Amino acid sequence: MLSQGARYVGATSISLAEGWSLERLTPPSRLFGANGIRTGPDGRIYVAQVAGSQISALDVETGELETISAQGTDIVAPDDVAFDAQGNLYATEYYDGRVSVRGTDGRTRVLRDDVPGANGITFHQGRLFINECRIGGRLLELDPGGGAPRVLLENLPMPNAMEFGPDGKLYYPMLGSNDIWRIDPDGGEPERVVGDLGAPVALKFDAEGYIVSPQVGSGEVLRIDPRNGERTVLATIAPGLDNLTFVGNRLFVSGFTGQITEVLGAGRTQAVLPGGLTWPLDLTVGGDGTLYVSDGTFFYTLPPGGGLQTLGMLFSPGWPGYIRGVTAAGEGEFIVTTSLGQVARWLPASGEHEVLAGETEPLDQLYGVAVAPDGSVLAAELGTGRVISVRDGEVATLASGLDQPTGVAIGPDGPCLVSESGAGRVVSVTGSGVDTVVDGLEKPQGILVRGGRLLIVDAGAKSLVEVDLGSKARTTIARDLPVGAPLGVDPKPLKGLLPFSGPQGLFAGIAAAPDGTLYVSADAEGSVLALRRAG
């Protein structure tokens, strides 16, 4: 049973073939992460969710969530929000370089579409200001009527969520230089307020006029005196913090995992909204049976009977990039594909990674990855319709002209199997060409070969299919799985923005434990499923 307010509710409950059971190893997520947050005119916290192209409103007294702007509608990848005096909601759309306005009548219009990396946004005395979180970003005043913007500053190193202080100056944190600055919006030189922080990602002011700033790298929430830069730690939550807001005198902080935390004082905190997985994407099982979960900006291990444990995230040393495909390649070693267009060998414990392909010329939308018996790395390149082989720094094309290849697996006798999500089939790639193994699918993504049987996550049909590779007999193990896009929703592309991420897309992965348990990424609801055959 899904918790109240879970982000995904299927038309019907999951149905299983006879002899199979299902367990959710992680609870469904209520949000697609939590990025910019701001208290609205109604006292609720409005939460922007880049990954899910969604804005939700949270009642901190009841915990109830309402979707304000849903996935698949006009606002795409919202990163921060602000309200004008009339109650209209303004959202920066990070990946699309836009600022949109959702009126009190529920209709949305684009205010500007020429602000790449649009991120921080705030109103001050009826004036609208935004910045661009990118290398060489700008600080701008926008005309709510649609006139040309006014450039206050440019060539900034990744400014982020900002706010006006009691002195009438605009304060803005900069991730690229790890400090906080301020400027008079009507002229004058910018001033550095404080530096050497823990990657300040946002700031707002408390009732006494002090800066409060979450640190995405260190996980600290700092209170800073704007007059002299002196700081105190209000609380330490976890790396991956993103923004903050006050409801009255109560302080709430958002995080990449979707957790909303109240900072209570004396270092104490409480989770008002629990965190969870943003998707998840691909899965892999280590030689000792440990399950690993790639979730874009986070990578987790999921031990038996325990909760998610972070092995790495966006700001970790040696982070290879937004991880999509993954396969275990030895103790503590993984081969990953990233949305930055690279194939890499990653060792999270030592904080190191080695780019195997795509360092100088990024590859186009990499997804599934596998290691062949000869040690070469095989990967699906959706953007070009290729399957590539990487060995000793050389990239070779094994197959081309495929229709949205996503999942990759090694067949029982050595050939590479690939799911063509656009063609609704799984093919075998050999030196003599491409042969159809299974067709008649809707949108196959993650695939796995085990004991002469091919397991396929069909995200379009929302099913898990098993195919006997000898007889071709087909069995549907599970139907109505929470995978793929929500019912009736056509998600708009997430373009990504360097250096954080390239283009993003859905991918429901699959892995198997030594005892035969199947793990499936329930990316629609944000959970990991375990399916087991009785006996």
Side-chain angles (χ1 to χ4, degrees):
M1 190 72 173
L2 297 184
S3 63
Q4 181 186 12
R7 73 188 193 198
Y8 175 90
V9 179
T12 58
S13 59
I14 299 170
S15 59
L16 302 173
E18 185 176 354
W20 285 86
S21 65
L22 180 144
E23 177 188 4
R24 281 185 172 87
L25 300 182
T26 65
S29 299
R30 298 185 72 185
L31 298 173
F32 295 92
N35 303 108
I37 59 174
R38 189 176 292 272
T39 304
D42 56 6
R44 295 186 296 175
I45 295 177
Y46 285 71
V47 186
Q49 299 148 69
V50 173
S53 290
Q54 182 168 286
I55 299 172
S56 303
L58 170 67
D59 186 319
V60 296
E61 300 297 338
T62 66
E64 291 184 3
L65 277 169
E66 179 187 357
T67 300
I68 303 300
S69 180
Q71 186 180 44
T73 55
D74 293 329
I75 295 177
V76 180
D79 201 317
D80 205 356
V81 295
F83 292 87
D84 65 14
Q86 291 73 43
N88 300 304
L89 184 153
Y90 289 68
T92 51
E93 297 172 89
Y94 186 53
Y95 293 154
D96 284 60
R98 303 191 310 193
V99 177
S100 286
V101 187
R102 186 181 189 277
T104 55
D105 60 0
R107 293 194 291 182
T108 299
R109 64 182 174 90
V110 175
L111 177 62
R112 300 231 47 108
D113 63 359
D114 57 355
V115 282
N119 193 303
I121 183 168
T122 189
F123 272 93
H124 179 65
Q125 297 179 348
R127 299 165 65 181
L128 173 61
F129 299 83
I130 73 157
N131 62 32
E132 300 167 337
C133 186
R134 60 182 177 90
I135 297 171
R138 300 176 296 171
L139 177 57
L140 306 169
E141 180 176 3
L142 300 188
D143 177 1
R150 182 171 73 94
V151 180
L152 278 71
L153 294 169
E154 52 190 346
N155 296 319
L156 299 175
M158 296 191 292
N160 214 287
M162 57 189 182
E163 195 59 275
F164 274 85
D167 56 3
K169 293 183 178 181
L170 180 55
Y171 288 68
Y172 52 99
M174 293 201 291
L175 286 171
S177 55
N178 199 29
D179 49 18
I180 292 172
W181 291 68
R182 65 188 165 209
I183 188 171
D184 186 326
D186 295 318
E189 293 298 314
E191 304 171 82
R192 187 173 187 252
V193 178
V194 62
D196 301 317
L197 300 172
V201 71
L203 64 85
K204 289 186 172 73
F205 285 82
D206 66 17
E208 297 178 359
Y210 283 74
I211 298 167
V212 179
S213 176
Q215 309 297 294
V216 64
S218 67
E220 294 177 326
V221 181
L222 300 181
R223 187 173 191 250
I224 301 168
D225 188 332
R227 295 163 296 188
N228 55 27
E230 291 183 359
R231 70 196 84 173
T232 58
V233 178
L234 296 179
T236 300
I237 301 173
L241 303 183
D242 203 329
N243 211 304
L244 74 158
T245 193
F246 288 90
V247 180
N249 288 322
R250 299 171 66 186
L251 169 60
F252 298 87
V253 179
S254 65
F256 293 164
T257 65
Q259 180 167 306
I260 306 291
T261 303
E262 182 174 6
V263 178
L264 300 174
R268 297 179 300 117
T269 63
Q270 67 175 4
V272 176
L273 193 69
L277 293 166
T278 300
W279 296 122
L281 300 165
D282 207 3
L283 307 170
T284 190
V285 174
D288 61 354
T290 300
L291 174 63
Y292 299 92
V293 182
S294 69
D295 196 36
T297 54
F298 277 80
F299 187 81
Y300 300 99
T301 179
L302 187 53
L308 293 166
Q309 298 178 8
T310 303
L311 287 188
M313 54 87 65
L314 179 61
F315 289 87
S316 298
W319 178 249
Y322 183 105
I323 297 176
R324 188 148 45 211
V326 60
T327 187
E331 186 175 354
E333 180 180 326
F334 303 90
I335 305 296
V336 301
T337 61
T338 76
S339 73
L340 299 175
Q342 297 177 340
V343 181
R345 176 179 286 107
W346 179 44
L347 294 88
S350 60
E352 299 174 305
H353 79 268
E354 173 194 4
V355 176
L356 304 178
E359 185 165 26
T360 55
E361 284 189 39
L363 298 160
D364 191 352
Q365 298 179 67
L366 293 166
Y367 278 78
V369 64
V371 178
D374 66 358
S376 58
V377 175
L378 311 180
E381 189 183 12
L382 183 144
T384 60
R386 294 194 303 166
V387 177
I388 61 169
S389 171
V390 182
R391 186 175 177 86
D392 298 328
E394 298 294 324
V395 177
T397 299
L398 296 185
S400 60
L402 300 178
D403 190 351
Q404 298 179 38
T406 50
V408 178
I410 305 300
D413 52 354
C416 172
L417 301 182
V418 183
S419 59
E420 277 187 277
S421 60
R425 65 175 185 165
V426 176
V427 298
S428 173
V429 177
T430 64
S432 57
V434 173
D435 296 314
T436 299
V437 177
V438 182
D439 58 11
L441 304 167
E442 289 191 30
K443 194 170 187 176
Q445 292 183 344
I447 57 175
L448 170 73
V449 174
R450 184 175 176 84
R453 296 178 182 272
L454 170 65
L455 285 304
I456 307 164
V457 181
D458 189 340
K462 301 192 181 301
S463 62
L464 175 61
V465 178
E466 181 182 68
V467 178
D468 186 309
L469 290 173
S471 67
K472 305 300 182 185
R474 189 180 308 192
T475 302
T476 300
I477 295 173
R479 301 179 187 273
D480 300 308
L481 291 171
V483 297
L487 296 170
V489 173
D490 184 14
K492 295 179 180 177
L494 295 176
K495 300 174 183 178
L497 188 71
L498 301 177
F500 298 116
S501 171
Q504 299 173 14
L506 300 177
F507 180 54
I510 184 170
D515 65 1
T517 298
L518 301 178
Y519 301 113
V520 173
S521 292
D523 57 345
E525 71 173 21
S527 73
V528 177
L529 308 179
L531 294 102
R532 300 179 178 90
R533 195 195 305 264

